[in-house]
Amino acid sequence: MAFSFRGHFAVATLAAVWAGSLFAQDSALPPAYVGTDTCIDCHQGEYDDWTGSHHDLAWTEPSPETILGDFDDATFDHRGVTSRFTREGDQYFIESDGPDGAMTRWPVAGVIGIEPLQQYFVETEPGRQQSFDIPWDTVKNEWFHMYPDQHLPASDAFHWTGPYKTWNNRCAECHATDYQRNYDPTTRSYSSTMSEIGVGCEACHGPGEAHLAWAEDETRPETWPWTDLTDTGFTIDYRPGDTETEIQQCAACHSRRGPLLEGSPLPGTPFHDAYRLSTLRDPLYHPDGQILDEVYVYGSFLQSKMYDKGVTCSNCHDVHTAGHIAEGNGICTTCHSPAENPEFPTLRLAEYDTPDHHFHEDGTDGAQCVSCHMIERVYMGVDGRHDHSFRVPRPDLTIATGAPNACTDCHASEGPYWADDALKERFPDSAYRGDHFALAFHAARTGADNQAANLVEISLSDTLPGIVRATALEMLTPMADPDIAAATAPMLTDPDPQVRALAVGLQRAAPPTEFIERVLPLLEDVSRSVRIAAAREMLGAPIARMPERYNVMLQRAMGEWQQTLASQTDFPETQLVMGGIALTTRNLDGAMSAFREAVRIDPQLINAWSMIVRLEAATGDETAARASLAEALAANPDNPDLTALEQQLP
């Protein structure tokens, strides 16, 4: 490839890409959404199974039939604020501290979920819906606070009226069908829409208009205006044996990820075209990949042998009731037993549901498969979630890294050394002992030196799961040098999109010519997340001119990145990215505008405040810098980073 290198990529060219028209992603309109009620006549059994499920009741209108909480003038006190729950006929109200700290009364606008808790949201201003932090415990039949140990005044971004509790942009997409956020950055307002509230048939099967046309005589009409549909008119095809399609569709909501699109992706959209999956980073996961924060399921499941062997969600979960296919250990023994399961011929045939294996009395909690292999952690105050990495307990890793293990979840007083000795005695030849990626991850997290070689080795492994290797690449990014860039270059063509996307960032440490040759091809990668990662690195690429083909690729990928950012301007983290882009392109006014918007949304964003103060000081406006710093300290009293910055000002 022949390129001309001359400083950073020309600002004028980047400005043209940034300000110019976007490439159309797909001009063909998909079929229309027709609603769950249209499915009943032909699919009564599936509809009956779905009715009353967690998917059906993920979001409902407030009514005496849907609201379970006590609204008979009930109160709840938390850190000096008394919230009140009242009712006038069939209308329900919540009174609590509002965005300005004043006590305000709002009608309940929506009901979230059914058990073990039910949450509610209100409309604090036209179109803006905020989820309330005091939900109803449906087991204990009482109000409780989801964050009882936190002091979250109205000035805090994590207050229930703040940006991180906005229903429109943080939650609604996974509680509705065909949800579109429709945020207007000019008016800073929402006009969100959806086909229907709740997770209806079309949320998983795709819009039904074409399927209805097919169903009239079960043939594909000659005048069918749509392309790229299944023979029965859907945008997604759950073919037997294609586990990945099902898993990725479920993962759209059951994962910790950042969106790349404005609203609900069209069912059938590959996961890495719609989302950027979180790695096993701190504080989301423990060093060994066990769940720590609320990460849902996908990131855990990708680590499992079950996933590697072709197990899919519907092997354990009924897709319409959203319940399990069996009770207790019966879910596991459908495969893990002396009986052969032809779907998984590599399974060892053995008796597992016996004290000879689990060493606990039958019928006790310790005899349950999930107690040892799917540890449970509680989120949202009362909601227990199981880790889906299906791991073998490793108390030796607890000793080495502090990660928990299932044995001492119950036997806390005996401790990890006791548990490790017990497992050595009972399973002396176990393969689940010794070296593990957790050792390198823990060392890197705690600042140990000389971890680069170990992380490179993990990233290049042909046996470790992709999400583990991607995490190693992410950890390597701050350490990157030309040697690391060269060593990890093969990961740019890895089958896993997350690995490819994380490998791109390491190439910024490569010599310019090698950087360009390695990264440019990824501008036309099959996955949007990878193309955007490549576009992000190309922003500051030292190229003055390049062949037209690559220029078109760059513009197209930049356009996709721009679309993603434009669709997320109500996220303070997006404003930070946009500020960084403006700095890279030497657009100081644009950078200041983005950082200002970031702290308007989240006044606790110290990095954004620091950039504002530094930019104003760098441009010679000391008065403005001091005023901004005073504003930052008012929102974040005694913050050490801001205090240190104050001492640096002239």
Side-chain angles (χ1 to χ4, degrees):
M1 288 183 275
F3 303 103
S4 173
F5 294 85
R6 188 187 62 207
H8 282 340
F9 191 74
V11 173
T13 304
L14 273 175
V17 171
W18 221 239
S21 60
L22 300 177
F23 281 80
Q25 301 304 308
D26 187 356
S27 59
L29 291 175
Y33 286 80
V34 296
T36 293
D37 287 348
T38 64
C39 306
I40 299 174
D41 286 346
C42 296
H43 303 283
Q44 183 70 53
E46 290 82 356
Y47 175 79
D48 290 343
D49 286 343
W50 169 83
T51 301
S53 69
H54 281 254
H55 285 158
D56 175 23
L57 303 176
W59 175 359
T60 54
E61 297 284 2
S63 72
E65 291 73 36
T66 60
I67 286 189
L68 302 177
D70 178 7
F71 280 80
D72 292 330
D73 200 23
T75 60
F76 185 86
D77 296 324
H78 178 69
R79 293 186 176 267
V81 175
T82 299
S83 299
R84 189 175 298 275
F85 305 86
T86 57
R87 172 179 177 178
E88 295 178 8
D90 289 347
Q91 191 167 24
Y92 298 79
F93 296 89
I94 294 175
E95 181 181 358
S96 194
D97 56 334
D100 57 358
M103 295 300 291
T104 310
R105 188 172 183 247
W106 299 271
V108 172
V111 180
I112 310 167
I114 187 68
E115 63 173 356
L117 72 158
Q118 187 175 77
Q119 199 174 2
Y120 308 95
F121 67 77
V122 303
E123 194 171 57
T124 55
E125 60 184 66
R128 181 182 294 271
Q129 298 157 335
Q130 298 289 143
S131 54
F132 195 51
D133 275 352
I134 302 174
W136 179 254
D137 185 326
T138 63
V139 178
K140 294 182 179 180
N141 289 322
E142 64 184 18
W143 296 105
F144 72 98
H145 202 288
M146 286 196 292
Y147 311 102
D149 299 328
Q150 296 182 13
H151 177 53
L152 299 170
S155 59
D156 195 290
F158 282 91
H159 183 260
W160 74 269
T161 60
Y164 302 109
K165 308 294 175 62
T166 300
W167 174 255
N168 307 71
N169 70 359
R170 299 287 170 172
C171 314
E173 176 190 322
C174 288
H175 290 256
T177 303
D178 185 31
Y179 186 82
Q180 303 301 320
R181 196 175 337 119
N182 297 331
Y183 177 74
D184 185 339
T186 304
T187 61
R188 295 169 175 155
S189 62
Y190 294 93
S191 54
S192 304
T193 62
M194 71 290 297
S195 171
E196 60 182 302
I197 62 174
V199 182
C201 303
E202 293 167 296
C204 301
H205 291 282
E209 181 186 12
H211 180 66
L212 291 181
W214 168 85
E216 290 183 3
D217 56 10
E218 296 192 1
T219 60
R220 187 173 179 135
E222 294 289 336
T223 57
W224 201 323
W226 305 287
T227 58
D228 298 325
L229 300 182
T230 68
D231 290 341
T232 56
F234 286 119
T235 58
I236 187 170
D237 190 0
Y238 297 108
R239 295 186 305 273
D242 179 11
T243 60
E244 197 62 27
T245 294
E246 178 186 297
I247 292 169
Q248 290 192 27
Q249 185 60 35
C250 296
C253 287
H254 296 277
S255 63
R256 184 72 174 257
R257 75 291 188 276
L260 300 176
L261 305 176
E262 195 275 339
S264 300
L266 194 67
T269 302
F271 182 90
H272 295 280
D273 277 357
Y275 302 104
R276 185 182 297 109
L277 180 64
S278 295
T279 61
L280 308 181
R281 68 172 73 101
D282 184 27
L284 302 184
Y285 296 84
H286 289 286
D288 63 347
Q290 288 187 77
I291 58 175
L292 177 55
D293 201 358
E294 190 173 13
V295 291
Y296 310 100
V297 172
Y298 189 43
S300 300
F301 188 53
L302 290 176
Q303 301 174 56
S304 70
K305 283 191 172 183
M306 309 266 277
Y307 173 76
D308 184 56
K309 298 298 183 182
V311 173
T312 188
C313 310
S314 59
N315 287 128
C316 301
H317 299 274
D318 185 284
V319 295
H320 294 112
T321 67
H324 294 118
I325 61 168
E327 294 298 322
N329 288 350
I331 304 173
C332 305
T333 56
T334 56
C335 294
H336 296 280
S337 73
E340 182 179 6
N341 186 329
E343 288 189 59
F344 307 106
T346 61
L347 274 173
R348 186 169 73 91
L349 305 182
E351 184 69 60
Y352 292 95
D353 192 9
T354 171
D356 289 338
H357 176 73
H358 54 63
F359 301 101
H360 291 79
E361 183 180 346
D362 284 333
T364 64
D365 288 343
Q368 296 300 304
C369 304
V370 296
S371 295
C372 292
H373 300 293
M374 295 182 72
I375 60 169
E376 184 181 57
R377 296 292 179 257
V378 175
Y379 303 102
M380 301 183 76
V382 298
D383 194 1
R385 316 270 182 85
H386 286 284
D387 189 315
H388 279 64
S389 56
F390 303 101
R391 61 183 64 239
V392 171
R394 291 287 303 265
D396 60 317
L397 295 181
T398 302
I399 296 168
T401 72
N405 72 88
C407 301
T408 52
D409 266 8
C410 295
H411 298 277
S413 61
E414 287 88 345
Y417 288 95
W418 167 87
D420 188 40
D421 289 341
L423 288 182
K424 287 177 180 176
E425 180 181 348
R426 291 169 177 174
F427 301 98
D429 299 320
S430 174
Y432 299 97
R433 198 167 288 128
D435 197 23
H436 192 279
F437 66 81
L439 303 175
F441 284 5
H442 174 67
R445 287 184 179 190
T446 54
D449 295 331
N450 304 318
Q451 289 304 306
N454 291 332
L455 294 173
V456 168
E457 182 180 358
I458 290 170
S459 73
L460 297 174
S461 169
D462 58 2
T463 58
L464 287 172
I467 192 170
V468 173
R469 296 183 290 115
T471 304
L473 291 168
E474 185 178 64
M475 288 182 163
L476 278 167
T477 302
M479 314 174 192
D481 60 25
D483 290 339
I484 290 175
T488 57
M491 298 296 95
L492 296 169
T493 57
D494 192 86
D496 191 308
Q498 189 182 25
V499 172
R500 297 198 300 276
L502 268 300
V504 172
L506 291 167
Q507 296 309 313
R508 71 184 67 153
T513 303
E514 295 175 18
F515 166 84
I516 297 301
E517 290 180 349
R518 292 170 186 168
V519 173
L520 264 184
L522 297 177
L523 292 170
E524 55 180 0
D525 192 271
V526 295
S527 292
R528 181 184 281 111
S529 61
V530 181
R531 297 193 297 270
I532 289 176
R536 186 172 60 246
E537 295 307 321
M538 290 296 296
L539 187 65
I543 309 175
R545 297 184 305 277
M546 62 181 172
E548 180 61 20
R549 171 174 175 258
Y550 293 106
N551 191 48
V552 170
M553 288 164 45
L554 176 60
Q555 291 189 50
R556 191 180 297 274
M558 285 285 187
E560 289 184 305
W561 187 23
Q562 183 183 12
Q563 284 182 321
T564 289
L565 293 173
S567 71
Q568 315 294 335
T569 54
D570 51 337
F571 286 60
E573 52 267 49
T574 300
Q575 295 295 336
L576 283 176
V577 173
M578 293 174 69
I581 293 169
L583 285 178
T584 301
T585 58
R586 300 179 179 86
N587 179 359
L588 298 187
D589 289 341
M592 183 65 74
S593 176
F595 292 135
R596 275 287 175 190
E597 182 65 6
V599 297
R600 185 199 67 81
I601 301 172
D602 179 359
Q604 280 71 54
L605 277 181
I606 303 302
N607 288 346
W609 280 118
S610 297
M611 291 305 304
I612 291 169
V613 173
R614 292 179 188 280
L615 282 172
E616 289 172 335
T619 55
D621 196 340
E622 182 183 335
T623 301
R626 290 196 174 278
S628 295
L629 184 56
E631 189 180 357
L633 283 167
N636 305 276
D638 302 320
N639 179 273
D641 293 331
L642 294 177
T643 302
L645 184 59
E646 186 177 30
Q647 297 171 354
Q648 295 171 18
L649 289 178

